[in-house]
Amino acid sequence: MCCLGGLITSGRLAHQKYTCFLEEERKKKYKTAEAAKAEKMRLEQEKENLKEIESKKQSIEDLEVKLKVAQKEQDMKKQSADALLSEANKRLQVALKNQDLQAAQLAQGLIEGAEKLREQERTQENVASRLAKQVEKRKSGLLSDLFAKKQKITKDI
């Protein structure tokens, strides 16, 4: 009977060890599943961050295009105003030299037109300036976001 008691004890011990082994395996599977789930969530978050960054980048590129158009328009208005003003001054000098009142009035009209173009140029310059500030603000914001996210990722690792 003493052999039978040792055999039962051995059986119980083996069963206990097997139960512990099964529990450890279950815990390993759970940890692996949790790690996989966390990795999947991290990848999804990273994809979302990339989409957000691409969206911001596209927004910046759109603003840069608008800025270039505004600057080009401002430059064209400046050139037109300069040419108009130069022509008006020439005509005014000739009109005054010849004492032609009608030509002097025409030159005065050209000068007024040039002044309006200058005013439009200043307005366009303000628009371009605001766009440039927006572009710089968004660029710095995007860089700040990228830096913050990089630090967070580095911290998480």
Side-chain angles (χ1 to χ4, degrees):
M1 189 114 166
C2 79
C3 284
L4 186 61
L7 190 59
I8 292 176
T9 305
S10 294
R12 283 186 183 157
L13 185 61
H15 176 69
Q16 199 174 34
K17 284 186 178 184
Y18 180 69
T19 305
C20 286
F21 170 77
L22 289 178
E23 183 65 23
E24 289 297 318
E25 286 297 311
R26 187 187 64 74
K27 286 179 182 178
K28 284 180 187 177
K29 284 181 183 179
Y30 180 76
K31 285 181 182 178
T32 304
E34 285 296 312
K37 185 178 177 182
E39 180 66 16
K40 184 178 178 182
M41 287 177 61
R42 187 189 67 78
L43 289 174
E44 287 176 6
Q45 183 65 37
E46 195 172 301
K47 282 182 184 179
E48 194 173 304
N49 289 343
L50 285 174
K51 284 181 185 178
E52 183 181 330
I53 289 169
E54 283 300 316
S55 173
K56 287 181 180 181
K57 183 180 172 187
Q58 185 63 43
S59 173
I60 290 170
E61 288 172 354
D62 292 345
L63 276 177
E64 285 177 331
V65 168
K66 286 180 183 179
L67 176 61
K68 286 180 183 178
V69 168
Q71 287 172 336
K72 216 177 245 187
E73 192 174 318
Q74 174 195 355
D75 190 44
M76 287 184 348
K77 287 186 182 197
K78 182 180 183 339
Q79 289 174 358
S80 297
D82 287 345
L84 196 57
L85 194 56
S86 176
E87 181 64 28
N89 282 331
K90 286 178 189 175
R91 286 187 181 198
L92 185 58
Q93 286 176 355
V94 169
L96 291 176
K97 191 176 186 180
N98 296 336
Q99 294 183 351
D100 185 0
L101 186 58
Q102 190 176 13
Q105 288 175 343
L106 180 62
Q108 179 61 32
L110 288 175
I111 290 173
E112 288 174 5
E115 287 175 351
K116 286 183 182 179
L117 277 175
R118 287 278 189 214
E119 194 176 302
Q120 290 174 356
E121 176 202 346
R122 279 188 231 101
T123 302
Q124 198 63 35
E125 184 179 14
N126 289 338
V127 168
S129 176
R130 281 193 304 252
L131 285 172
K133 287 178 184 177
Q134 285 180 344
V135 167
E136 288 306 313
K137 183 178 177 182
R138 288 190 183 178
K139 280 183 178 179
S140 66
L142 180 62
L143 289 174
S144 297
D145 288 349
L146 286 172
F147 185 70
K149 287 176 183 177
K150 183 179 178 184
Q151 282 185 332
K152 184 180 180 220
I153 289 170
T154 307
K155 235 187 241 184
D156 289 346
I157 294 174

